[in-house]
Amino acid sequence: MLSQVYRCGFQPFNQHLLPWVQCTTVSRSHGIQPSVIRHVRSWSNIPFITVPLSRTHGKSFAHRGELKHAKRIVVKLGSAVVTRGDECGLALGRLASIVEQVSVLQNQGREMMLVTSGAVAFGKQRLRHEILLSQSVRQALHSGQNQLKEMAIPVLEARACAAAGQSGLMALYEAMFTQYSICAAQILVTNLDFHDEQKRRNLNGTLHELLRMNIVPIVNTNDAVVPPAEPNSDLQGVNVISVKDNDSLAARLAVEMKTDLLIVLSDVEGLFDSPPGSDDAKLIDIFYPGDQQSVTFGTKSRVGMGGMEAKVKAALWALQGGTSVVIANGTHPKVSGHVITDIVEGKKVGTFFSEVKPAGPTVEQQGEMARSGGRMLATLEPEQRAEIIHHLADLLTDQRDEILLANKKDLEEAEGRLAAPLLKRLSLSTSKLNSLAIGLRQIAASSQDSVGRVLRRTRIAKNLELEQVTVPIGVLLVIFESRPDCLPQVAALAIASGNGLLLKGGKEAAHSNRILHLLTQEALSIHGVKEAVQLVNTREEVEDLCRLDKMIDLIIPRGSSQLVRDIQKAAKGIPVMGHSEGICHMYVDSEASVDKVTRLVRDSKCEYPAACNALETLLIHRDLLRTPLFDQIIDMLRVEQVKIHAGPKFASYLTFSPSEVKSLRTEYGDLELCIEVVDNVQDAIDHIHKYGSSHTDVIVTENENTAEFFLQHVDSACVFWNASTRFSDGYRFGLGAEVGISTSRIHARGPVGLEGLLTTKWLLRGKDHVVSDFSEHGSLKYLHENLPVPQRNTN
């Protein structure tokens, strides 16, 4: 019982086609294209990127990140996805978005198939309209009036609705796919088409031929003739499954066609560990065979044949047959416009079914452990937290050989893959470990009076006293690149401030990070808070981590400006502390000392050019041009092999100038420097405000008044006089270490040490006080007296 409908005007190009197993990417306008072609074009906000799709079917994907390699994909659209809320008619906006996403993936060279519901709803809409029209005509003829009265609509039989709606549903799909130059074909099936061997071979051959011709098959059950579902022993093995609803149909089709991925879209986000909507319900990110014993299934959706239990059974059956499965929400207005493409890109959407269970905890479980561990950490005495940090500092020196051996492995694996500045960041040494230990002991000393410190005391009224005290922020997510020394620094700051911590390091430092994290947990264990600091080792994408808004209170990125920008863009509802760029300036005033300038410029630019506090733009007072001081600066930069870029004004003064800068707002991160000319200190300040990033800016001058004017008027996190930009650092500021440098204007700014990882809460102690006692006719009056604050321990 197979029927095929081809769009008129389709011209096959069989001479250009090869079987799927040869992994070619077929474009309707270009014939065969290599599968490594990258950007082609985009529709709406969905990128159109072709990716390598070579894959041999056999086992399902073990991890979400592998879904991007899926070649053949089935998308199952549940009744709740394609049907309007009144169940009469189709949700045209959602359908249009789904068609767009399927078209994008099809034009990337993938082979897309749809299993769709909706014929009953569409037919119901049409039949209701016809009945109402017929009744209104009869009523008008009978009564002689053109007024419609209450008319009873008979119960519409589902098979009749399906018969009336099937052609219209297909016509709608055809019209939508045509907008993307995609041809679609309809295939109606029943259970017999899978269980009768000849019909099964016919169906298989038809589907393969359609896919070979770059056509999207649209498959659904022939609801006009399908009999009511009967209980049987299906879902017991790969060769036994009844087509009772579109969930089982999609699973059977996926296995039959050796599909890489089955996406099941419904009106729920996926599987939950308790009924969706309940207070404790948590979305199950990854579902493994056997986990169904711990899941309670609710009722099925308002429309459709199968509930969530049917979806899970069908998904597990498909997984057993070698097809990966994701169940996700296709109705949510904020995500449905890209849910399919997000799934294929490997993003954490819905519930992913996998046969490979990781050895360690999920990142969600790690977040919960960091939360509970952090709360226990905050309740420790200050001396106990300091003891943990001291022990970690000792371990860094005692276990030096093991740490350097792990770091050597990272360096060997990174050789030839990382640029020289990044290799320098990755490298650890005995001196670095000794410096780390010194910094950690500084943090331990400053942590004695951090958590629980009273900032303010107020007597509100008699026997009613208010205190503002410092408390941890909660759970921090610190994402860092290359630098493994960041791990113990950040861990020590989190321990001192009583915060739980999630760490996500770069894979280039995996060996170093692993041993440093083990040492951190060893130190935490002396007071039973081992789980407060977690290292994320799973294949979590940074973008997915940024969505854990219920587990993470603050994200701190440490790395390239691109990393920070990406995280700031990806963070959904979680504050991000950091700076997206480190465009640091140094203004050389007309009254600058000749002896100081070259030392300051060399240190700021050449000591560590990849650092965020390295000098990027040198502003020269115009009176210094063609002077011995200017020549000394240029000669020093040439000796240090610094590439010079000329700003527009500087270029205008020169006959033969260096390459003119493309942008005055550039962070080079290397031995490159922009030089620009300014007229005076105010001109320098204006330039910094226009092109800077509010990170670190310096003036070099012997005129104290000019220097103070610069210090007061430059609106940056760090502003220096006659000092290198490289002093912008938590360790050099005496903070012991930093979690990063913030250019934000809220909360911490500049190098963020222990103080920047604390917030406050208010403690009110009363004796049966009520607000009504302070009303106009009440018996009490507000005093609002400031009380002395306990002295802070500065030892």
Side-chain angles (χ1 to χ4, degrees):
M1 192 169 292
L2 303 175
S3 65
Q4 302 176 39
V5 182
Y6 292 91
R7 180 168 59 85
C8 295
F10 171 71
Q11 296 180 356
F13 40 96
N14 294 15
Q15 67 273 21
H16 295 305
L17 296 172
L18 294 173
W20 167 69
V21 294
Q22 295 189 8
C23 302
T24 56
T25 301
V26 181
S27 166
R28 299 185 60 78
S29 57
H30 298 88
I32 295 174
Q33 301 180 36
S35 60
V36 295
I37 294 176
R38 308 309 285 177
H39 184 73
V40 182
R41 58 183 176 183
S42 65
W43 289 313
S44 182
N45 62 339
I46 302 175
F48 181 9
I49 309 291
T50 57
V51 295
L53 299 176
S54 177
R55 167 169 158 78
T56 302
H57 183 86
K59 291 194 65 176
S60 59
F61 293 116
H63 306 283
R64 280 186 184 269
E66 297 171 340
L67 295 181
K68 63 174 67 75
H69 301 298
K71 167 73 174 180
R72 185 171 291 176
I73 302 171
V74 171
V75 179
K76 183 265 177 179
L77 308 178
S79 299
V81 176
V82 299
T83 306
R84 291 200 320 241
D86 60 5
E87 303 178 23
C88 294
L90 303 179
L92 297 179
R94 285 201 295 267
L95 272 183
S97 175
I98 288 166
V99 168
E100 179 185 19
Q101 295 173 78
V102 170
S103 299
V104 166
L105 296 173
Q106 179 79 4
N107 281 285
Q108 288 178 355
R110 305 181 198 269
E111 297 173 337
M112 304 298 297
M113 291 179 278
L114 279 183
V115 174
T116 180
S117 304
V120 173
F122 200 17
K124 187 176 182 181
Q125 180 187 35
R126 294 180 64 183
L127 292 180
R128 281 170 60 93
H129 178 77
E130 291 298 326
I131 291 170
L132 284 172
L133 182 62
S134 175
Q135 287 184 349
S136 64
V137 171
R138 288 199 302 272
Q139 187 179 44
L141 291 174
H142 179 73
S143 62
Q145 300 176 3
N146 288 324
Q147 297 179 348
L148 295 179
K149 297 181 180 179
E150 293 292 329
M151 293 178 289
I153 303 296
V155 177
L156 299 175
E157 206 273 331
R159 285 195 289 268
C161 292
Q166 191 64 55
S167 60
L169 177 65
M170 188 60 199
L172 181 63
Y173 276 120
E174 285 285 349
M176 288 181 172
F177 275 112
T178 299
Q179 302 303 311
Y180 303 99
S181 300
I182 299 290
C183 182
Q186 181 186 26
I187 298 180
L188 298 175
V189 298
T190 65
N191 207 19
L192 291 176
D193 295 311
F194 289 101
H195 291 285
D196 182 281
E197 185 61 26
Q198 183 59 50
K199 290 184 176 182
R200 189 185 66 80
R201 285 200 299 267
N202 292 343
L203 174 62
N204 190 292
T206 299
L207 288 168
H208 276 94
E209 180 65 13
L210 293 174
L211 294 176
R212 191 177 72 85
M213 293 191 295
N214 204 30
I215 296 171
V216 175
I218 300 177
V219 185
N220 55 347
T221 54
N222 192 348
D223 293 326
V225 299
V226 69
E230 296 180 2
N232 55 30
S233 58
D234 64 348
L235 300 170
Q236 298 300 313
V238 173
N239 295 319
V240 182
I241 183 171
S242 297
V243 178
K244 297 190 292 188
D245 51 50
N246 278 338
D247 296 316
S248 54
L249 168 60
R252 181 63 194 254
L253 179 68
V255 174
E256 182 73 25
M257 294 298 294
K258 295 182 172 59
T259 301
D260 300 318
L261 173 61
L262 167 60
I263 299 174
V264 179
L265 297 184
S266 183
D267 57 353
V268 292
E269 292 181 54
L271 301 185
F272 289 80
D273 58 359
S274 57
S278 62
D279 292 339
D280 297 328
K282 295 179 181 177
L283 180 68
I284 298 173
D285 173 43
I286 306 177
F287 192 80
Y288 307 98
D291 284 357
Q292 63 265 38
Q293 307 300 326
S294 61
V295 176
T296 302
F297 296 104
T299 58
K300 69 183 185 70
S301 66
R302 57 181 172 79
V303 290
M305 294 286 293
M308 185 54 71
E309 186 171 10
K311 291 175 175 57
V312 172
K313 287 183 177 179
L316 291 173
W317 190 88
L319 189 68
Q320 181 185 0
T323 296
S324 296
V325 184
V326 175
I327 296 178
N329 191 338
T331 64
H332 196 291
K334 291 186 178 180
V335 299
S336 59
H338 44 80
V339 59
I340 299 173
T341 49
D342 278 356
I343 289 170
V344 176
E345 288 173 11
K347 296 181 180 178
K348 294 186 75 170
V349 179
T351 299
F352 171 62
F353 286 70
S354 174
E355 292 186 301
V356 180
K357 199 162 189 173
T362 65
V363 70
E364 289 81 6
Q365 292 169 331
Q366 287 187 293
E368 291 174 355
M369 289 189 287
R371 174 79 68 189
S372 60
R375 285 172 176 163
M376 291 176 61
L377 185 63
T379 62
L380 296 178
E381 294 297 324
E383 294 78 12
Q384 292 175 307
R385 289 192 294 271
E387 187 180 353
I388 293 172
I389 300 170
H390 274 295
H391 188 45
L392 177 57
D394 293 339
L395 288 172
L396 291 179
T397 52
D398 294 344
Q399 304 294 325
R400 178 187 303 112
D401 293 341
E402 290 81 355
I403 296 170
L404 295 180
L405 181 62
N407 185 244
K408 183 181 178 182
K409 292 180 182 178
D410 287 327
L411 290 170
E412 289 172 350
E413 292 175 6
E415 190 68 40
R417 295 192 300 108
L418 291 183
L422 292 179
L423 280 174
K424 186 177 180 182
R425 285 190 176 194
L426 179 59
S427 175
L428 292 176
S429 63
T430 299
S431 60
K432 270 191 178 182
L433 293 176
N434 290 336
S435 296
L436 272 174
I438 294 171
L440 264 57
R441 293 187 178 99
Q442 288 180 351
I443 295 172
S446 63
S447 69
Q448 294 294 323
D449 188 23
S450 54
V451 180
R453 177 163 53 92
V454 179
L455 301 179
R456 176 175 176 172
R457 294 179 64 221
T458 305
R459 180 177 286 117
I460 303 297
K462 185 179 180 181
N463 295 323
L464 184 63
E465 293 188 2
L466 178 70
E467 284 185 347
Q468 184 185 20
V469 300
T470 57
V471 294
I473 289 175
V475 175
L476 314 176
L477 168 62
V478 178
I479 303 170
F480 56 101
E481 294 177 325
S482 296
R483 291 180 52 180
D485 53 330
C486 171
L487 193 153
Q489 288 179 331
V490 172
L493 288 169
I495 294 166
S497 57
N499 286 289
L501 179 62
L502 282 175
L503 292 159
K504 174 66 173 175
K507 60 184 179 181
E508 67 279 356
H511 299 292
S512 305
N513 290 338
R514 188 176 300 112
I515 188 170
L516 290 171
H517 177 246
L518 288 174
L519 296 177
T520 301
Q521 289 199 314
E522 181 179 337
L524 287 163
S525 297
I526 66 175
H527 287 297
V529 287
K530 176 182 177 181
E531 295 181 342
V533 177
Q534 298 286 324
L535 179 64
V536 178
N537 287 316
T538 57
R539 298 191 179 192
E540 301 294 332
E541 297 293 336
V542 168
E543 187 173 344
D544 293 327
L545 290 172
C546 292
R547 294 175 179 172
L548 301 177
D549 57 303
K550 294 181 181 179
M551 299 179 183
I552 297 168
D553 299 296
L554 179 66
I555 302 175
I556 304 173
R558 291 192 59 165
S560 66
S561 57
Q562 186 60 51
L563 170 72
V564 180
R565 282 194 296 269
D566 289 344
I567 291 173
Q568 289 173 334
K569 183 178 179 180
K572 306 296 183 184
I574 309 176
V576 178
M577 180 189 290
H579 62 281
S580 59
E581 292 175 306
I583 305 175
C584 303
H585 293 76
M586 179 178 288
Y587 165 56
V588 182
D589 185 53
S590 59
E591 298 180 68
S593 165
V594 174
D595 296 332
K596 294 176 182 176
V597 172
T598 52
R599 275 173 47 83
L600 293 174
V601 174
R602 179 188 289 110
D603 190 77
S604 298
K605 178 74 262 186
C606 308
E607 196 267 341
Y608 193 177
C612 64
N613 56 14
L615 177 64
E616 304 294 4
T617 298
L618 182 65
L619 302 176
I620 304 287
H621 193 288
R622 65 178 181 181
D623 291 347
L624 296 178
L625 291 177
R626 302 184 180 89
T627 65
L629 172 58
F630 179 76
D631 292 340
Q632 278 187 328
I633 296 173
I634 298 299
D635 290 342
M636 180 274 296
L637 292 173
R638 285 173 178 165
V639 170
E640 297 291 340
Q641 298 183 332
V642 177
K643 182 178 180 180
I644 298 174
H645 302 276
K649 289 184 181 178
F650 182 40
S652 67
Y653 282 94
L654 304 174
T655 306
F656 300 100
S657 67
S659 60
E660 187 167 343
V661 70
K662 295 180 180 179
S663 171
L664 290 168
R665 193 179 286 110
T666 301
E667 181 180 11
Y668 298 104
D670 206 346
L671 286 173
E672 297 184 56
L673 179 70
C674 173
I675 297 180
E676 181 58 312
V677 174
V678 292
D679 294 335
N680 48 50
V681 66
Q682 184 62 57
D683 195 15
I685 293 169
D686 292 342
H687 180 104
I688 290 169
H689 288 165
K690 184 174 183 180
Y691 299 109
S693 61
S694 301
H695 192 293
T696 302
D697 298 293
V698 176
I699 182 172
V700 184
T701 185
E702 296 304 300
N703 188 311
E704 184 176 352
N705 291 332
T706 304
E708 288 300 325
F709 184 83
F710 185 90
L711 294 174
Q712 297 302 319
H713 286 81
V714 171
D715 187 16
S716 295
C718 300
V719 188
F720 302 161
W721 172 24
N722 288 350
S724 168
T725 60
R726 297 277 290 118
F727 278 104
S728 184
D729 176 83
Y731 175 76
R732 297 177 184 122
F733 275 18
L735 304 179
E738 66 184 41
V739 293
I741 294 180
S742 171
T743 55
S744 171
R745 299 176 184 277
I746 299 174
H747 196 56
R749 195 177 188 204
V752 181
L754 176 57
E755 298 289 335
L757 299 182
L758 297 171
T759 184
T760 65
K761 70 178 180 182
W762 298 88
L763 304 177
L764 184 63
R765 297 178 175 91
K767 292 186 177 179
D768 195 31
H769 287 81
V770 293
V771 170
S772 58
D773 286 343
F774 295 87
S775 64
E776 184 178 353
H777 303 292
S779 58
L780 296 177
K781 300 294 182 183
Y782 289 112
L783 299 177
H784 292 150
E785 295 177 1
N786 290 329
L787 299 176
V789 174
Q791 291 299 308
R792 183 178 181 182
N793 180 10
T794 57
N795 294 329

